Amino acid sequence: MATDVVMPQMGESIAEGTIVRWIKKVGDKVDRDEPLFEISTDKVDAEIPSPAAGVISEIRVKEGETVPVNSVVAVIGAAGEVKAVVVAAAAGQVVAPQTAKPTPVAVPANGKRDDETTVRGKGAPGVTEDALRQRSSPLVRKIAKEHQVDITQIHGSGIAGRVTKDDILSYVGQEGPEGSASAAGAARSASAGQAGAPVPAGPRFTPGAGDVVERMSPMRKKIAEHMVLSRRTSAHVHSVFEVNFSRLAKIREAKKAEFERAGAKLTYMSFIIKAAIDALRAVPIVNASVDGENVVYHRDINVGIAVALDWGLIVPVIKRADEKNLLGLSRSVVDLANRARAKQLKPDEVSGGTFTITNPGVFGALFGMPIINQPQVAILGVGNVEKRPVVVDDAIAIRPMAYLTLGYDHRVIDGAVADEFMSQLKRALENWDPSVV
């Protein structure tokens, strides 16, 4: 009996997914729960297991294609069924893959479809919240809210007219259709200033002989979209503090073996996360988000840790990090990083972050100027810990030093507040209590 393989819904707000790679091909045997294909969504990249054992008899969606959730992407059949298909093909017969029959759309007497007559905009007769949700994802609606854009005025390029991220970002950048450009543009300029300004088209480039042209991967495209959106949303400012890691180096050396026996790895990052959590408690605006003209102070402290992958960057989140001790944080960092590289993260493990830490120092960088991970208002960059000559008690000494950088949203965080947070962080790291390990 044939089994349909469908595009899974990797999270409540996920409406579609992109097939990144087929791990199995037509004719390959597959066991139940064996990895079948890789997908990329708004939230996470993941390997999808096979729903049944059998042989791949049909693949309906090619690599790189994006389809709605619950769409049939492949069929798993018995070995005899696949053999019949292969024999038929060898005999010169054309075997057409089965395709889903389109659902008939009722057309009223006025000649307009239902989706043309009922979806007009919020407040219009016949419009429901469900209709708006069907036309957009939560991310799209959030972007529209921030820029005061009416989603119903945007022609969606997605399935059934669904408004995608590309649609809303393009609309915001080009000031929308002529009928609403002046009103939407004025509202955005008044509320967001330069964030609502049109984005000039990039220069055209003609590849030369020997150049290699590759399309961006789905993850790379999402990173590009999120970074450009963040720069246009937040007023980025950065503060850099130098921190002496001498005390932490001694504590880490003394406790490293004990942590390893407990199945964890005690790194400088573990101390930094714990100190950042305490500083976030002391300066709660750094653990907030902006919602229009409101500031949302988050009850939980959910720390995102940027993980560099061979194919991009992902930020898994330690939920309720303030409830964990140093050992628990160390275990969480290792677990999330390993599963991120193995593409085994769940959607809720890469969402809901309230503060992000990125560590370019692991590659040798002294410091960087990180871009805020929206809708957060701050991000901490960690530089390389290296021995440098410093002045200690009017004498030159060699100490392990590092630069920590706080990128923050100047719309809600002033320089004095950011420096207060960093002072708390620096003080905690340089005067760590050995009993808190």
Side-chain angles (χ1 to χ4, degrees):
M1 181 178 177
T3 301
D4 289 339
V5 180
V6 301
M7 174 64 70
Q9 184 166 17
M10 301 291 288
E12 183 179 353
S13 62
I14 302 299
E16 58 189 16
T18 301
I19 301 286
V20 176
R21 179 173 71 97
W22 280 103
I23 300 172
K24 297 291 185 177
K25 307 299 181 186
V26 172
D28 288 352
K29 291 182 179 180
V30 62
D31 293 326
R32 182 181 176 85
D33 295 329
E34 184 180 1
L36 185 57
F37 60 99
E38 292 180 12
I39 67 169
S40 179
T41 71
D42 285 350
K43 300 279 188 183
V44 68
D45 284 11
E47 290 184 350
I48 305 303
S50 173
V55 179
I56 309 299
S57 61
E58 185 182 347
I59 290 178
R60 298 186 182 179
V61 178
K62 291 185 281 188
E63 293 179 353
E65 286 191 30
T66 301
V67 296
V69 298
N70 297 324
S71 299
V72 177
V73 299
V75 178
I76 297 175
E81 295 174 355
V82 176
K83 183 178 180 180
V85 172
V86 174
V87 170
Q93 301 174 18
V94 177
V95 181
Q98 297 178 352
T99 56
K101 294 182 180 179
T103 303
V105 178
V107 180
N110 61 8
K112 294 183 178 181
R113 297 198 333 249
D114 287 344
D115 59 351
E116 295 174 330
T117 58
T118 60
V119 181
R120 296 295 182 204
K122 274 192 174 181
V127 175
T128 64
E129 187 67 23
D130 288 341
L132 288 175
R133 290 182 189 279
Q134 290 173 4
R135 285 177 52 82
S136 61
S137 69
L139 176 61
V140 169
R141 294 196 297 279
K142 182 180 185 303
I143 297 172
K145 182 178 180 180
E146 289 175 351
H147 294 277
Q148 299 186 22
V149 173
D150 183 358
I151 294 178
T152 61
Q153 301 301 315
I154 303 175
H155 176 70
S157 62
I159 304 297
R162 183 179 179 83
V163 178
T164 66
K165 285 188 301 182
D166 290 338
D167 296 332
I168 185 68
L169 291 173
S170 176
Y171 185 96
V172 170
Q174 298 174 4
E175 292 295 307
E178 293 182 0
S180 60
S182 58
R188 289 194 297 274
S189 297
S191 63
Q194 189 177 3
V199 178
R204 302 289 296 178
F205 178 77
T206 302
D211 290 348
V212 177
V213 179
E214 281 186 359
R215 290 188 64 84
M216 284 187 180
S217 67
M219 176 178 277
R220 193 76 257 164
K221 288 171 63 178
K222 290 179 177 65
I223 292 172
E225 291 169 3
H226 293 165
M227 294 301 96
V228 170
L229 173 63
S230 182
R231 293 291 294 184
R232 299 188 64 224
T233 299
S234 297
H236 280 69
V237 184
H238 295 83
S239 290
V240 182
F241 275 55
E242 189 175 29
V243 178
N244 186 334
F245 277 73
S246 297
R247 190 174 182 86
L248 291 181
K250 294 177 181 178
I251 296 173
R252 178 172 174 265
E253 190 63 30
K255 297 289 185 177
K256 186 167 56 174
E258 179 182 331
F259 270 60
E260 289 177 353
R261 286 194 297 270
K265 188 176 181 181
L266 183 59
T267 65
Y268 288 132
M269 179 59 73
S270 304
F271 292 100
I272 293 170
I273 296 171
K274 185 68 173 69
I277 291 169
D278 294 338
L280 290 170
R281 282 203 193 101
V283 190
I285 185 63
V286 184
N287 192 53
S289 296
V290 176
D291 182 18
E293 296 181 353
N294 300 320
V295 178
V296 180
Y297 291 86
H298 299 293
R299 179 192 62 185
D300 295 331
I301 297 178
N302 301 329
V303 180
I305 306 297
V307 177
L309 307 172
D310 291 340
W311 56 92
L313 180 75
I314 197 167
V315 185
V317 177
I318 304 175
K319 297 292 179 67
R320 293 181 291 280
D322 51 320
E323 298 177 2
K324 297 179 182 292
N325 59 16
L326 200 63
L327 177 59
L329 291 172
S330 300
R331 284 173 171 165
S332 295
V333 169
V334 173
D335 172 60
L336 290 173
N338 287 341
R339 289 194 292 115
R341 296 186 178 101
K343 297 186 177 181
Q344 294 176 349
L345 290 174
K346 300 175 183 177
D348 62 346
E349 292 176 320
V350 291
S351 61
T354 60
F355 182 77
T356 296
I357 300 177
T358 181
N359 185 17
V362 72
F363 301 107
L366 289 180
F367 60 85
M369 300 295 172
I371 297 176
I372 297 168
N373 187 13
Q374 296 296 325
Q376 299 164 28
V377 295
I379 182 171
L380 182 68
V382 180
N384 184 35
V385 179
E386 61 179 8
K387 291 184 177 180
R388 290 199 289 268
V390 295
V391 177
V392 178
D393 297 329
D394 294 331
I396 303 296
I398 305 298
R399 296 289 186 271
M401 307 292 292
Y403 294 107
L404 302 186
T405 304
L406 183 71
Y408 58 95
D409 189 341
H410 209 344
R411 294 180 301 169
V412 294
I413 300 177
D414 294 328
V417 176
D419 291 346
E420 178 187 354
F421 172 87
M422 291 298 286
S423 294
Q424 293 260 4
L425 181 64
K426 174 183 171 74
R427 189 160 51 249
L429 293 174
E430 292 184 341
N431 302 280
W432 195 275
D433 183 355
S435 65
V436 186
V437 179

